[in-house]
Amino acid sequence: MIGLVKEDARIRWSGVFKAELRRGGRLVRRYEARNIVCNILLSQLRNALVGSGSVSEYTHIAVGSGTSTPTRDDTALESEIARKLCDERLVSGTKVVYRVTFGSSEANGSINEVGLFDAASGGNMLARALFGETIEKTSDYILFIEYEVEVSYA
């Protein structure tokens, strides 16, 4: 008789968006928000496993003024203000880090939400989060955003 071994290979996706508001090169305030991973990622992974699709290359971070609670069914920010190509994307061990800088003339407004996308407009949203408080971004400030995600076995 042959024994079967059941292996539970659960994958954990743990991500956090971090933001820094700076004025004249000085740090004014830090913000942090844990993300919700949207259903599109699971769909892309399933399809890639059977050769009927692929996983997108996620390249852009967007910010918005929406305040609704993120859900896995989200496909866009509630009220997008600005989206920008990441300045940096890197892999370090089990972590992937995305970084973007919104200059003084970019993303001005009341920012509550943030997301990671695979296109300059429209496209697929991989993750969405709400900051715990509103970031009041004006032309007096530069906003740095980093999304750090760890992909590992649970």
Side-chain angles (χ1 to χ4, degrees), residues 132-151:
E133 59 187 288
T134 301
I135 301 171
E136 294 297 345
K137 167 75 170 68
T138 68
S139 59
D140 292 333
Y141 301 101
I142 292 174
L143 179 63
F144 296 96
I145 296 180
E146 177 179 279
Y147 177 49
E148 181 179 283
V149 61
E150 183 170 11
V151 182

Side-chain angles (χ1 to χ4, degrees), residues 13-136:
W13 182 284
S14 175
V16 62
F17 285 96
K18 298 175 186 176
E20 289 186 353
L21 195 61
R22 293 183 172 265
R23 177 188 228 165
R26 291 187 171 170
L27 177 66
V28 174
R29 185 80 191 237
R30 282 193 175 110
Y31 305 84
E32 192 169 294
R34 293 233 164 256
N35 73 278
I36 291 289
V37 176
C38 300
N39 286 333
I40 188 65
L41 176 65
L42 296 178
S43 177
Q44 288 179 350
L45 287 171
R46 279 190 303 266
N47 291 340
L49 287 172
V50 295
S52 66
S54 62
V55 178
S56 295
E57 178 182 358
Y58 289 85
T59 55
H60 289 73
I61 290 178
V63 293
S65 59
T67 57
S68 65
T69 300
T71 71
R72 295 193 187 289
D73 293 326
D74 289 344
T75 58
L77 293 182
E78 182 182 351
S79 184
E80 188 170 319
I81 293 172
R83 186 182 304 197
K84 191 169 180 184
L85 179 66
C86 292
D87 303 321
E88 186 175 25
R89 296 177 295 147
L90 56 98
V91 176
S92 177
T94 59
K95 295 181 180 180
V96 180
V97 179
Y98 299 84
R99 292 187 180 115
V100 69
T101 303
F102 290 99
S104 60
S105 64
E106 301 170 310
N108 290 321
S110 298
I111 297 170
N112 296 304
E113 60 181 336
V114 60
L116 181 67
F117 292 84
D118 66 355
S121 64
N124 297 305
M125 181 170 66
L126 177 115
R128 179 173 176 246
L130 286 182
F131 292 108
E133 59 187 288
T134 301
I135 301 171
E136 294 297 345

